[in-house]
Amino acid sequence: MAVDELDTRILRLLIEQPRTSVREYARILGIARGTLQARLDRMERDGVITGTGPVLSPAALGHPVLAFVHIEVTQGHLDDVGDALAAVPEIIEAFSITGGGDLLTRVVARDNGHLEDVIQRLIQIPGVVRTRTEMALRERVPHRLLPLVEAVGRASVRRGERVGG
């Protein structure tokens, strides 16, 4: 799905002002509300926009410890282990990966002892061979997409996909 300059402007507003109404977005962009809604619907349908909920802080929810746990899985058990990981509330993300391990999980915990308990729970999952844990010390670049959105927008203008409204 090609994201053009107008889509980029819409996405920027959604990121910077997430609690603004569609009517206000249309006014700010100088386009018709129907045009904006059609663009939003298309970007949702195409998977560009995947959610609209609040961004939550695990630390503020009492889980300030962040670790990345690499999990090596017995061959043929990746799906089963993935399903079992979904039942562990402290796992906030999990990815199949290449390289040193089969899965990479992002795990939050109340403290180091709680993290150890979570890791022990992971080791007990049938199909898990071993884990390797790396603890995050400080977030250097928070999760963000605006720089990517802006880069995609600049590229679309260079390709001549400029849309005015």
Side-chain angles (χ1 to χ4, degrees):
M1 188 238 137
V3 174
D4 63 25
E5 182 188 12
L6 179 56
D7 292 334
T8 300
R9 291 171 46 214
I10 292 168
L11 293 170
R12 181 189 230 335
L13 274 176
L14 289 173
I15 291 168
E16 291 179 340
Q17 300 176 37
R19 299 182 79 164
T20 302
S21 69
V22 172
R23 177 176 289 175
E24 182 62 10
Y25 287 143
R27 187 194 66 73
I28 292 168
L29 293 167
I31 61 174
R33 185 185 176 287
T35 299
L36 175 62
Q37 192 61 60
R39 292 288 184 125
L40 290 171
D41 292 345
R42 179 181 47 82
M43 287 191 283
E44 285 179 10
R45 187 177 55 251
D46 291 348
V48 174
I49 298 172
T50 59
T52 58
V55 177
L56 305 177
S57 166
L61 293 171
H63 290 68
V65 174
L66 172 63
F68 299 92
V69 180
H70 298 258
I71 302 172
E72 188 176 321
V73 177
T74 302
Q75 201 165 22
H77 289 85
L78 192 59
D79 289 339
D80 295 335
V81 171
D83 291 344
L85 294 178
V88 180
E90 295 86 356
I91 294 179
I92 59 176
E93 289 183 299
F95 301 92
S96 299
I97 60 169
T98 63
D102 300 300
L103 294 164
L104 175 63
T105 63
R106 194 168 124 187
V107 179
V108 295
R110 293 184 302 274
D111 53 37
N112 290 352
H114 182 218
L115 176 61
E116 182 181 11
D117 293 343
V118 172
I119 294 167
Q120 290 302 316
R121 183 173 174 191
L122 299 181
I123 292 169
Q124 300 304 313
I125 295 172
V128 171
V129 175
R130 74 178 48 88
T131 64
R132 187 181 89 241
T133 303
E134 299 168 351
M135 290 187 60
L137 300 176
R138 180 180 298 154
E139 184 177 65
R140 298 294 179 165
V141 178
H143 179 77
R144 68 206 178 122
L145 290 172
L146 185 55
L148 177 63
V149 167
E150 291 174 336
V152 168
R154 285 190 301 272
S156 73
V157 169
R158 283 194 301 274
R159 289 190 307 267
E161 297 170 9
R162 187 177 189 105
V163 175

